[in-house]
Amino acid sequence: MQTTQTTQTTAESIYGNERPALEQACAALSEHIAAIRAEMTAELGMDPVEHYLTRIKSEDSMREKCRRKGLPVTTHSALHIIKDAIGVRVVCAFVDDVFEICRRLKASGQYEFVEEKDYIRHAKPNGYRSYHLIIRFQNGYFAEIQLRTISMDTWAALEHHLKYKKDVGGKTALIVQELKRCADELASTDLSMQTIRDMILEQD
Ligand code: 0O2
């Protein structure tokens, strides 16, 4: 075991004394996304972001994730092995804006891009769609950025809610199948909405 790792007691923060620095990194990322949003709003004549959220993963969720991954429940695991202590979710009206925000984040050269998961072009088998980026800040902290459309976000929220409803009896297979169908229909609507937006922009 590395000597730098400290075992946390439940009374201590799993983030140890690094929480203020973590919050600073989260705020800096949030400001960067706000700046990209402002740039694109000026260029497009409309705000590409419907809403966005930032969070530091809660103490309980982080501890639970360490255990689930078979990691010691330490500050080192939380900040340097698990990569979503900082989480940002950017929700756009149109799918092209998701990819454009992603492109601008990369072009900024401010972060190392550690991992990228395109669940938009390659949806999960259950229908989940979203674009995930894991970035590393210069100070070594990681953040997960999830970018998605309103439709994708609505589906994910509903699916998350249903996942924790325990008593679905023998209907599980039907629910899974119906959720997948809804995800595919929403994806098709996203494409139609994008086409309509493109037609409107061509008029300008
Ligand atoms: P929370 O509370 O949202 O942070 P890992 O992060 O390594 O444990 P994985 O599967 O490699 O897991 O990462 P992935 O696929 O990038 O997913 C990470 C996050 O995406 C999840 O975070 C969810 O927020 C979201 N997500 C992924 N798949 C689904 C899905 O099928 N349905 C919904 N509703 N959300 C999903 P956490 O840590 O689970 O939770």
Side-chain angles (χ1 to χ4, degrees):
M1 184 187 287
Q2 293 178 12
T3 49
T4 49
Q5 291 186 12
T6 43
T7 304
Q8 304 287 320
T9 66
T10 45
E12 291 169 355
S13 167
I14 190 163
Y15 300 116
N17 59 12
E18 302 203 43
R19 179 132 197 154
L22 198 60
E23 278 171 4
Q24 255 177 19
C26 184
L29 179 57
S30 181
E31 275 172 33
H32 187 192
I33 290 167
I36 291 176
R37 183 179 182 178
E39 260 169 38
M40 286 176 66
T41 302
E43 289 167 22
L44 291 166
M46 61 159 283
D47 188 346
V49 176
E50 193 61 30
H51 65 274
Y52 76 97
L53 313 164
T54 59
R55 62 114 180 90
I56 307 286
K57 204 172 190 72
S58 75
E59 298 277 334
D60 287 350
S61 300
M62 184 54 87
R63 287 199 170 86
E64 185 277 321
K65 191 160 185 172
C66 288
R67 289 190 197 102
R68 182 160 39 91
K69 303 247 168 205
L71 296 167
V73 183
T74 61
T75 301
H76 178 80
S77 300
L79 296 180
H80 301 292
I81 303 179
I82 287 177
K83 301 190 179 75
D84 68 346
I86 296 174
V88 177
R89 183 172 296 151
V90 184
V91 179
C92 299
F94 298 103
V95 76
D96 278 7
D97 294 333
V98 164
F99 291 110
E100 181 55 22
I101 292 171
C102 181
R103 191 193 68 72
R104 289 182 192 223
L105 280 167
K106 287 184 183 164
S108 75
Q110 290 190 38
Y111 320 101
E112 181 189 342
F113 285 79
V114 175
E115 223 178 289
E116 213 166 330
K117 290 183 193 163
D118 184 351
Y119 295 129
I120 294 182
R121 293 187 185 96
H122 308 282
K124 281 195 166 184
N126 64 356
Y128 178 77
R129 286 171 172 81
S130 189
Y131 202 96
H132 293 189
L133 294 167
I134 303 284
I135 61 167
R136 181 159 40 206
F137 297 89
Q138 279 172 359
N139 64 8
Y141 294 148
F142 293 95
E144 180 186 73
I145 308 176
Q146 299 182 348
L147 299 122
R148 50 172 83 146
T149 64
I150 301 168
S151 305
M152 295 169 196
D153 194 51
T154 303
W155 184 93
L158 183 65
E159 192 261 358
H160 183 78
H161 183 68
L162 292 177
K163 223 178 338 202
Y164 293 99
K165 278 241 174 265
K166 292 191 180 77
D167 198 12
V168 289
K171 295 187 195 135
T172 309
L174 180 62
I175 290 171
V176 168
Q177 183 189 319
E178 280 300 288
L179 274 169
K180 169 80 169 65
R181 188 179 60 76
C182 290
D184 294 344
E185 283 178 8
L186 288 165
S188 158
T189 305
D190 266 344
L191 284 181
S192 305
M193 298 295 259
Q194 181 65 54
T195 306
I196 294 166
R197 206 259 297 247
D198 291 346
M199 288 192 292
I200 293 167
L201 289 178
E202 275 165 21
Q203 294 300 309
D204 296 343

